[in-house]
Amino acid sequence: MVFLDFKQAFETINQEILFQILKSYGICGSAMQWLTDYLTDKKQNVKLSDVIPTVRNVNYGIPT
């Protein structure tokens, strides 16, 4: 069993760099696909009062 604490380990690393590092360590196949699916195409926004927020892509860190 492997436990991974992504949030603490990768809060500020660019996801593309993270994927390259993981590939260099031999992470591939379904494990790499799962990580890629989990981390990519995430969006975030912040709403304050009735102001319509701007949606932005999350390219760093781990979605929570």
Side-chain angles (χ1 to χ4, degrees):
M1 183 167 295
V2 176
F3 294 96
L4 302 172
D5 182 1
F6 290 120
K7 186 172 182 179
Q8 294 297 318
F10 304 115
E11 277 189 352
T12 58
I13 191 167
N14 181 286
Q15 292 169 353
E16 289 302 318
I17 295 170
L18 172 62
F19 297 145
Q20 291 173 5
I21 292 169
L22 292 173
K23 286 179 186 175
S24 74
Y25 281 108
I27 305 296
C28 60
S30 60
M32 185 58 144
Q33 186 62 49
W34 181 85
L35 287 167
T36 303
D37 290 345
Y38 178 70
L39 294 175
T40 56
D41 297 324
K42 301 296 182 199
K43 311 251 187 252
Q44 73 178 17
N45 63 33
V46 177
K47 183 177 180 181
L48 181 61
S49 298
D50 291 330
V51 177
I52 298 173
T54 302
V55 177
R56 300 192 184 259
N57 291 330
V58 177
N59 297 317
Y60 289 86
I62 305 303
T64 55

